Amino acid sequence: MSKLPTRLRRNPILRRLVQETELSINDLVQPIFVTYSNEKTEILSMPGQYHIPLDIIEKEIKRLVNVGINAIILFGIPEKKDEKGLDAIDDNGIVQQAVRKIKQHFPELLIITDVCFCQYTTHGHCGILDKKGLINRRKSLEYLQKQVISHVNAGSDVVAPSCMIDEMIKYIRDVLDNNQHEDIGILSYAVKYASSFYGPFRDAAHSTPKYGDRQSYQIYPGNIKEALKEAKIDEDEGADIIMVKPATPYLDVIHQVKNLVQCPVAAYQVSGEYAMIKSASEKGWIDEDTCILESLIGIKRAGANFIVTYFATSAAQLIKKNMK
Ligand code: PBG
């Protein structure tokens, strides 16, 4: 008997019949940066991604809804920062205003809001600091609850805490339940590595810590047991979806988290992953379109139910084109 695996690869229809993983537009979430400034500006280290003024947000959203994107994750760029990141908890803060505006025009679009303080604080850390400059957990949890309620009152469908503060999910679930928001889901950035691949995002969100780094709350890249522990704790505290971030250097983590938890698993293909594909293809060293799709299918194969990616809109266009 001849064992020839290529038998199944000779015919395109047969190839598609035996294809194990499929990437669909329903798997993609597009991050959006919204700003008070009235100029739409391209993010230097993320070509093709923009700071979008609140005034024209609906026009921008229309563009991605038209290619079939059903879900976005919103990041706000506040006008001014302070020690406590007050814009983040203000009912008229940048994210809250954007959510209301988007919901009004696109009631069907799923809006996930990133819940964190680093873009909003003068020090650039993800929570409220104590006198020694360390994260004050209790105070941060209290402010996180305020931020969540304010987002949900504005119309956010799912809240996504990304600050890696212990027990954040427990506190957020509590405050949602106690305020008649039992139906609002939590997408937890449970497994967030202390990664250098966030570099371009920090330029984009102006959220580089003014001193120190995030190693005291994010996970060391070489650790996986700790990642599994985080995932399990967050699921037990009531997270509805567990996210792993970044994606490509952590495919084994996605896979193992998937096997561990009962809830769906998401992956975040971060700014540095985007920038690498963008810059290499701009140089003509790789083919952008096929590399985008290959990177995303790889993340799905590892076990992600869906992917937060700056390529969402381009990938949706490519998927549509390939279906024709
Ligand atoms: C924190 C946050 C970060 C990202 C999303 N939410 C950055 C960080 O921890 O510095 C990174 C996303 C990316 O790199 O694309 N609010």
Side-chain angles (χ1 to χ4, degrees), residues 75 114 116 118-119 126 162 189 192 197-198 201-202 207 214 218 245 268 270-272 310:
F75 294 95
D114 182 86
C116 194
C118 60
Q119 295 107 278
C126 298
S162 64
Y189 288 72
K192 186 167 174 186
F197 289 100
Y198 305 148
F201 174 94
R202 292 180 187 174
S207 65
R214 302 210 210 286
Q218 300 180 345
K245 179 179 163 198
Y268 197 138
V270 302
S271 54
Y310 303 96

Side-chain angles (χ1 to χ4, degrees), residues 243-301:
M243 186 143 74
V244 176
K245 179 179 163 198
T248 321
Y250 300 93
L251 296 177
D252 57 327
V253 181
I254 297 173
H255 184 73
Q256 290 203 36
V257 169
K258 179 75 182 170
N259 287 338
L260 178 75
V261 297
Q262 302 293 318
C263 68
V265 174
Y268 197 138
Q269 185 181 46
V270 302
S271 54
E273 299 175 75
Y274 175 85
M276 285 195 297
I277 293 180
K278 273 292 188 188
S279 53
S281 59
E282 268 175 13
K283 282 190 160 325
W285 291 350
I286 60 172
D287 177 64
E288 177 167 350
D289 293 353
T290 50
C291 284
I292 291 174
L293 294 175
E294 185 176 336
S295 70
L296 295 172
I297 202 110
I299 297 167
K300 268 209 87 181
R301 189 200 61 242

